Amino acid sequence: DQSGKMSVPVAYQGNTSAAVADWLNKGDNAWQLTASTLVGLMSVPGMVVLYGGVVKKKWAVNSAFMALYAFAAVWICWVVWAYNMSFGEELLPFWGKAGPALDQAFLVGRASLPATAHYRADGTLETAMVEPYFPMATVVYFQCVFAAITLILVAGSLLGRMSFLAWMLFVPLWLTFSYTVGAFSVWGGGFLFHWGVIDYCGGYVIHIPAGVAGFTAAYWVGPRTKKDRESFPPNNILFALTGAGLLWMGWAGFNGGGPYAANVDSSMAILNTNICTAASLIVWTCLDAVFFKKPSVVGAVQAVITGLVCITPGAGVVQGWAALVMGVLAGSVPWYTMMVLHKRSKLLQRVDDTLGVIHTHGVAGLLGGVLTGLFAEPNLCNLFLPVTNSRGAFYGGNGGAQLGKQIAGALFVIGWNVVVTSIICVVIRLVVPLRMSEEKLAIGDDAVHGEEAYALWGDGEHYDDTKHGAAVVPVSCIM
């Protein structure tokens, strides 16, 4: 600088440049980016590690890779066409117009969800459209990691037998024709949004669809081998616990990012999330100890998930005591459907849902949505919802109607996912087999990927007695 004056980069020049616009709230933007990254960490490495550890050893690599692939594939689909189908301008009452989210002018401008302006019956504006105080790029990022984890959850029903090539086709198709419909209908300004269905952060957009779609796809793909269905022990429970821990802590971003601001509702949502999850774990563990005489660590992992899922539809709109009640039910109702009802039901037995996603996400998500219709507190609802005077049935007034909306909204989501997931599977089946060959099913990771999770001999190669020496069994072991 020839004048001798200190030069400051434009990104740091207060409100004097496009980098720091008048509308930008740096605190909200910093929190939303943090929340987005926390949700991303739930998938990578969270779900990757959880899947890799909770399955049988021969499927560890395949299961982890299905999660990793889905995360990457959703990213590309999201920015090329799916974001605007979920949160852009309305095409149909349940679907937005497809279009890329890649242009600089679009991404650095102030975020807005154009279809979310809510009008009264007489046509007057009741609630203005959602316009957070940060750039569109932040919203695209936040919503992308939600979409990605949904596909990863669906994979949990299909582990141990789905063709990887079929999975590569399934991910973009299901994202396009199923996820975007739920996201726009409930969050993006679609008919369920304007009708007043409450889904604070994903019970109806993420968890019920994941459980139902996973179960439906499992029906079309077919079961694992008889041997795997009878014996499918986790190869590394500590990995599964690590993944569950990343899910629990990452859920602070999941539910805490829902208001699109670092505000009081965000704080309430995070606190309720932890209350419900802790209660769910304690109840599930007690039930295991009482009825099976052994508290199960894998059961505790399932309980963490059901607690997180159950609170999600109402995290920021229910009181702390209601979160505690929801946690007790999250640890008992899915426990019953998974540990008791599943074993008695011919339908549930017929469909091989590998990790029981229909219970941990489908049942828990539906339970959370219905309980939100009961416990949504009026003052908290006014902090978040576009439909004023919303309340749960517990608070009287129009709360009974809210409960009905919650049930009807869930039925739409369930029906759409059964039909669309079935169509997608049938179409893929015309192109490639949905299920692996019997040879690959018998061998596992090495046949599918040429890799195994654990190198037990040498530098990762298979045991070869010409290189590693013949295996010698001590006499004491025989005796």
Side-chain angles (χ1 to χ4, degrees):
D1 187 355
Q2 298 297 322
S3 64
K5 296 180 180 179
M6 184 174 65
S7 177
V8 179
V10 292
Y12 302 98
Q13 291 178 8
N15 294 335
T16 61
S17 75
V20 189
D22 292 337
W23 45 260
L24 178 67
N25 183 308
K26 291 185 178 181
D28 285 350
N29 194 36
W31 165 239
Q32 207 67 32
L33 290 171
T34 302
S36 304
T37 304
L38 285 170
V39 178
L41 288 169
M42 289 164 59
S43 294
V44 181
M47 295 299 292
V48 173
V49 172
L50 195 157
Y51 282 0
V54 80
V55 298
K56 197 172 186 177
K57 176 179 162 304
K58 75 174 188 177
W59 293 116
V61 171
N62 179 257
S63 301
F65 195 20
M66 284 180 72
L68 185 63
Y69 166 79
F71 190 79
V74 168
W75 258 106
I76 302 306
C77 299
W78 193 250
V79 297
V80 175
W81 69 80
Y83 171 78
N84 279 304
M85 293 180 73
S86 305
F87 296 96
E89 296 180 0
E90 180 180 312
L91 174 66
L92 297 169
F94 55 86
W95 227 351
K97 295 179 181 178
L102 293 166
D103 183 74
Q104 170 191 330
F106 174 76
L107 294 173
V108 301
R110 183 177 176 180
S112 65
L113 277 62
T116 56
H118 183 70
Y119 297 89
R120 299 183 180 89
D122 61 4
T124 59
L125 183 68
E126 181 173 356
T127 307
M129 73 173 176
V130 177
E131 282 190 292
Y133 293 101
F134 43 71
M136 187 65 83
T138 302
V139 177
V140 174
Y141 177 27
F142 181 70
Q143 291 298 344
C144 179
V145 289
F146 274 72
I149 199 169
T150 308
L151 266 300
I152 294 172
L153 296 176
V154 173
S157 297
L158 308 170
L159 302 179
R161 83 280 201 179
M162 187 173 190
S163 159
F164 199 84
L165 182 56
W167 177 243
M168 292 177 71
L169 298 174
F170 181 90
V171 170
L173 288 172
W174 193 85
L175 175 73
T176 303
F177 294 104
S178 185
Y179 183 84
T180 59
V181 169
F184 186 82
S185 297
V186 180
W187 284 346
F191 76 104
L192 294 177
F193 176 91
H194 291 295
W195 193 35
V197 172
I198 302 174
D199 183 13
Y200 186 86
C201 228
Y204 287 38
V205 177
I206 295 172
H207 300 296
I208 294 177
V212 173
F215 189 79
T216 304
Y219 168 81
W220 289 102
V221 173
R224 289 165 290 170
T225 63
K226 185 174 184 293
K227 184 178 180 181
D228 280 354
R229 290 198 75 178
E230 291 174 350
S231 178
F232 206 72
N235 72 86
N236 196 320
I237 288 179
L238 296 182
F239 275 8
L241 279 173
T242 301
L246 285 167
L247 284 180
W248 190 341
M249 293 298 98
W251 225 279
F254 200 99
N255 287 342
Y260 291 138
N263 59 18
V264 295
D265 209 27
S266 179
S267 299
M268 192 72 184
I270 293 174
L271 183 66
N272 282 338
T273 298
N274 284 275
I275 292 171
C276 184
T277 305
S280 178
L281 187 152
I282 292 168
V283 170
W284 191 299
T285 301
C286 289
L287 289 171
D288 274 351
V290 170
F291 288 95
F292 303 124
K293 309 305 178 186
K294 292 182 180 179
S296 167
V297 176
V298 173
V301 170
Q302 305 280 31
V304 166
I305 294 170
T306 59
L308 293 167
V309 170
C310 184
I311 192 61
T312 292
V317 297
V318 302
Q319 297 191 64
W321 64 262
L324 184 60
V325 173
M326 292 172 76
V328 171
L329 293 172
S332 54
V333 175
W335 179 90
Y336 174 78
T337 64
M338 177 179 281
M339 309 306 294
V340 180
L341 183 63
H342 189 103
K343 297 173 183 177
R344 298 176 180 175
S345 168
K346 291 182 179 179
L347 173 63
L348 294 174
Q349 284 287 306
R350 180 182 176 187
V351 179
D352 183 18
D353 180 353
T354 308
L355 299 184
V357 181
I358 188 65
H359 303 288
T360 56
H361 294 274
V363 172
L366 177 60
L367 178 66
V370 172
L371 292 174
T372 297
L374 286 175
F375 296 136
E377 199 278 329
N379 293 319
L380 292 173
C381 286
N382 288 336
L383 296 177
F384 181 77
L385 299 175
V387 180
T388 56
N389 299 317
S390 296
R391 66 186 62 218
F394 182 81
Y395 295 93
N398 61 347
Q402 185 64 54
L403 180 59
K405 291 178 182 180
Q406 297 300 110
I407 295 171
L411 291 175
F412 169 77
V413 171
I414 291 169
W416 184 271
N417 276 278
V418 169
V419 173
V420 172
T421 304
S422 295
I423 293 172
I424 290 171
C425 288
V426 170
V427 170
I428 293 174
R429 191 171 63 177
L430 297 174
V431 181
V432 297
L434 290 171
R435 195 166 179 263
M436 297 180 196
S437 67
E438 292 300 323
E439 179 186 4
K440 289 181 178 179
L441 288 171
I443 298 171
D445 289 337
D446 188 48
V448 180
H449 301 287
E451 299 161 321
E452 294 192 25
Y454 304 105
L456 299 179
W457 300 99
D459 294 318
E461 69 268 29
H462 292 295
Y463 172 74
D464 182 343
D465 60 9
T466 64
K467 291 192 294 183
H468 305 118
V472 178
V473 180
V475 175
S476 59
C477 292
I478 300 174
M479 303 292 288

